[in-house]
Amino acid sequence: MSDDLVFDAHRHLGVLPAHPFYGGPAINADTTARATVDQLLSDLDAEGTERALVLPNYGVPDPDVAFAHNELVLEAAQRDDRVRAGLWVSARPEDRARTAKALALAGETGVRALKLSFLLGGSPTAPECRPLLDEIFAVAERHGLVVHVHTSPGAASDIDQVGNLVDWYADRCAVHLVHFGGGMSGHIKLAGSRFFDWVAAGKRVYTDLSWAIGFAPHWLAREIEHRGIGHDRVLFASDQPWGDFPGEYARMRSAAGDGYFGELVFREAFAALYD
């Protein structure tokens, strides 16, 4: 599908059950979700994806669903060297036992990340979540793993909240901020200053632009060129099945080009972070 082999820093595996979102009928929104490792590998072949960080699919308000997919992504990573696994973890006290089980897999072959999202509850700044956050990042540091964190505007996933994780932990752990803030306000906060302030301060912060509003990839590329930092902190990501591989690829290729920065975005930044 792409003209050259690419590395995808963010996609999901597993199919979600139907759910009545927002008071409507029960639906399956993840229409291109893959239930098996064979289906995932077939997609990688069709796309020309040479490496992929694969994470549990999530989205319905049932943590057991996301945690249950950890074994599937681990199977994928241990079956095919193209795949790196990210394990679902949670900072909610209610998920302590499930998170402990996930963290026990952190040293398994193929595991390169821990996936953290507050869409299913909890908050980066909630006092009751801090002990598990400390534990998650301690395990990441011990095993050399990246903490892969969802961002989206408002509530607990807003960059005003999630940015605290960079401040607190990114001196010793790599933090991958998914979706570059996840919307207009997040893009402006990050590209306007915060992302570059963190890089200049020595924080190990990375990002991808899946879901990004159309102007954001070009603006970020221009700011990187102008400021002279951040070239190696941006990764291509499809976010399949919630993103669209051809669309995400075309948008980032347009912004990054096919020179030095494009090589970093589509291959080298991933290789440095996840290989």
Side-chain angles (χ1 to χ4, degrees), residues 27-135:
I27 60 167
N28 293 98
D30 56 340
T31 57
T32 60
R34 301 308 189 212
T36 69
V37 175
D38 286 339
Q39 290 173 324
L40 167 70
L41 299 180
S42 178
D43 284 348
L44 300 187
D45 291 337
E47 297 160 359
T49 299
E50 188 175 358
R51 292 280 191 279
L53 179 71
V54 178
L55 310 150
N57 197 11
Y58 74 102
V60 298
D62 181 357
D64 280 334
V65 173
F67 279 105
H69 290 150
N70 276 341
E71 293 184 5
L72 187 60
V73 300
L74 187 59
E75 177 192 346
Q78 295 184 345
R79 249 186 70 181
D80 194 301
D81 188 55
R82 288 176 294 176
V83 178
R84 309 290 182 260
L87 301 174
W88 180 268
V89 295
S90 168
R92 299 192 322 146
E94 301 93 324
D95 294 328
R96 175 172 290 279
R98 288 173 286 212
T99 293
K101 183 179 178 181
L103 292 177
L105 301 173
E108 291 286 324
T109 301
V111 175
R112 294 299 303 131
L114 302 176
K115 175 66 177 185
L116 189 60
S117 174
F118 298 95
L119 289 181
L120 304 188
S123 166
T125 55
E128 64 271 19
C129 291
R130 190 62 185 268
L132 267 177
L133 284 173
D134 287 344
E135 186 174 342

Side-chain angles (χ1 to χ4, degrees), residues 146-147 166 173-178 180 195 199 203-208 232-235 269-270 272-274:
V146 180
V147 181
V166 179
C173 294
V175 178
H176 178 161
L177 299 175
V178 174
F180 196 56
F195 181 69
V199 172
K203 300 293 186 180
R204 298 180 61 198
V205 60
Y206 297 80
T207 194
D208 69 63
D232 57 345
R233 305 302 182 91
V234 182
L235 302 96
F270 182 107
L273 190 61
Y274 290 114

Side-chain angles (χ1 to χ4, degrees), residues 17 54 80 108 117 128 144 152-153 157 209 223 226 230 260 263 265:
V54 178
D80 194 301
E108 291 286 324
S117 174
E128 64 271 19
S152 54
S157 295
L209 285 99
E223 286 296 313
H226 172 69
Y260 172 66
E263 181 67 13
V265 168

Side-chain angles (χ1 to χ4, degrees), residues 129-254:
C129 291
R130 190 62 185 268
L132 267 177
L133 284 173
D134 287 344
E135 186 174 342
I136 288 165
F137 279 90
V139 170
E141 181 181 12
R142 184 158 62 248
H143 291 280
L145 306 180
V146 180
V147 181
H148 196 273
V149 190
H150 172 84
T151 67
S152 54
S157 295
D158 195 276
I159 197 62
D160 287 347
Q161 292 278 322
V162 173
N164 286 288
L165 303 180
V166 179
D167 292 331
W168 296 336
Y169 301 110
D171 290 321
R172 59 184 192 269
C173 294
V175 178
H176 178 161
L177 299 175
V178 174
H179 307 314
F180 196 56
M184 178 71 78
S185 62
H187 299 340
I188 289 173
K189 291 169 185 176
L190 288 175
S193 64
R194 289 187 207 178
F195 181 69
F196 296 99
D197 292 344
W198 282 325
V199 172
K203 300 293 186 180
R204 298 180 61 198
V205 60
Y206 297 80
T207 194
D208 69 63
L209 285 99
S210 56
W211 291 17
I213 297 172
F215 76 97
H218 284 276
W219 182 29
L220 179 60
R222 189 186 70 183
E223 286 296 313
I224 286 172
E225 182 178 8
H226 172 69
R227 295 169 184 259
I229 58 174
H231 298 75
D232 57 345
R233 305 302 182 91
V234 182
L235 302 96
F236 167 71
S238 71
D239 195 25
Q240 289 284 139
W242 303 107
D244 169 66
F245 188 98
E248 298 290 353
Y249 176 86
R251 181 171 48 182
M252 280 307 299
R253 179 58 75 187
S254 174

